[in-house]
Amino acid sequence: MNLNNMTSKQYKHNELGLSDGQVIDMYKYMLLARKFDERCMLLQRAGKINFHVSGIGQETAQVAAAFALDREKDYFLPYYRDYGFVMAVGMTPRELMLSAFAKAEDPNSGGRQMPGHFGSKRLRIVTGSSPVTTQVPHAVGFALAAKMQKKDFVSFVTFGEGSSNQGDFHEGSNFAGVHKLPVIIMVENNQYAISVPVHKQLSGKVSDRALGYGFPGIRVDGNDALAVYAAVKEARERAVAGEGPTLIEAMMYRLSPHSTSDNDLAYRTKEEVEENWKKDGLAKMKQYLIDCGLWDEERDADLAAQLSMELKEATEYADNAPFPKPEDTLLHVYADDESGGKQ
Ligand SMILES: Cc1ncc(C[n+]2csc(CCOP(=O)(O)OP(=O)(O)O)c2C)c(N)n1
Ligand SMILES: [Mg+2]
């Protein structure tokens, strides 16, 4: 099927420089991420995996951002909800399932980190740790390296709005602003930090904080894939042109509980969650594709079946894979470990 010949009409995605095939691919990754999260939540409830933190409701912005970056050269510092992002830059469901099952073959950490702590040299995903927002100064460091080495890559970092109140965000942003570094800082404002609603976390807009650091800050609808794509694309153009950082606040809603250990109905109502399901970016994207004449229910059902099969295979593979050996606990901890620090 040649998707580029399906329509000669110009739609919003064409105006932004995205082909019909690319915009369909975006939707595929969004749906894959949604199904991956749903599968992991079930696996946790079935006692197959220990823990899961989902990105349900955040896939749209994550995948759209990935499509606006250079997936061959940029450096990525995602946070724990970014399954859509890491899959869109090349991590496979099998690799992520190996991580969820904490198996030795997990490329992120050999099954020793909590899931959601992404890391891949191959994909230039910089390994992160659990204290939130530590990845911001790290991303700024990568951007400093790009500037010092006169290379045209950018670094892209994400985190939640609650985390934007940590000192690391402010210190990293200030340094990036002073040195006009090629970093894109994207806050996924899902309106909760565990049980704390956004109005108890912030009295202003996160995006406005960029003013104090001397670079642009914009707020976008995180449920609108094309709006996020346009914002990140422009931020990347500015970054490689030497114009410095951009702060993007993508507005969304955390549709799932904070994690599989959380009962969200202890602090928010079912009605509030249902109201936000109506704004789901994934459903919006599907409707957009249908309106453009690029998609229909039959294709959607075929895609869903294909993704389910892919996830089933990934799950079975990870379930059957061996656990790490207890004696490997200290691998990569000391410089002279058995791997010679090569992995
Ligand atoms: C420095 C630090 N403090 C507290 C925690 C515990 N913690 C983990 S996630 C989280 C909430 C973060 O909320 P937000 O930044 O909005 O991200 P979200 O989970 O909503 O995506 C907290 C407090 C942590 N991991 N690190
Ligand atoms: Mg949040």
Side-chain angles (χ1 to χ4, degrees), residues 191-239:
Q191 301 178 50
Y192 279 91
I194 312 188
S195 56
V196 183
V198 69
H199 67 89
K200 288 191 181 159
Q201 304 173 41
L202 297 155
S203 67
K205 290 183 185 172
V206 177
S207 54
D208 285 348
R209 293 172 170 178
L211 181 68
Y213 301 121
F215 54 83
I218 52 162
R219 187 179 249 199
V220 283
D221 178 358
N223 285 316
D224 180 342
L226 298 181
V228 175
Y229 174 83
V232 178
K233 191 172 175 220
E234 194 186 328
R236 192 178 188 284
E237 282 162 7
R238 291 188 59 255

Side-chain angles (χ1 to χ4, degrees), residues 114-169:
M114 287 204 317
H117 290 58
F118 309 110
S120 166
K121 256 191 183 173
R122 169 176 62 96
L123 302 169
R124 297 167 316 288
I125 297 173
V126 181
T127 187
S129 62
S130 297
V132 293
T133 343
T134 45
Q135 66 271 32
V136 175
H138 298 167
V140 171
F142 276 80
L144 178 63
K147 186 170 177 178
M148 289 172 74
Q149 296 174 1
K150 299 190 174 25
K151 293 201 172 143
D152 64 350
F153 69 81
V154 311
S155 64
F156 174 79
V157 60
T158 54
F159 50 98
E161 81 296 338
S163 304
S164 76
N165 301 312
Q166 288 269 136
D168 308 65
F169 163 76

Side-chain angles (χ1 to χ4, degrees), residues 66-133:
F67 272 69
L69 296 166
D70 187 327
R71 287 176 278 171
E72 301 297 320
K73 57 166 90 141
D74 292 342
Y75 281 80
F76 311 120
L77 294 94
Y79 90 121
Y80 47 82
R81 296 195 194 278
D82 277 327
Y83 285 96
F85 182 84
V86 296
M87 288 202 262
V89 301
M91 200 167 279
T92 65
R94 179 188 281 194
E95 290 173 323
L96 291 168
M97 276 300 176
L98 282 162
S99 166
F101 277 84
K103 295 300 176 78
E105 208 189 320
D106 157 35
N108 295 280
S109 73
R112 296 178 313 157
Q113 267 273 35
M114 287 204 317
H117 290 58
F118 309 110
S120 166
K121 256 191 183 173
R122 169 176 62 96
L123 302 169
R124 297 167 316 288
I125 297 173
V126 181
T127 187
S129 62
S130 297
V132 293
T133 343

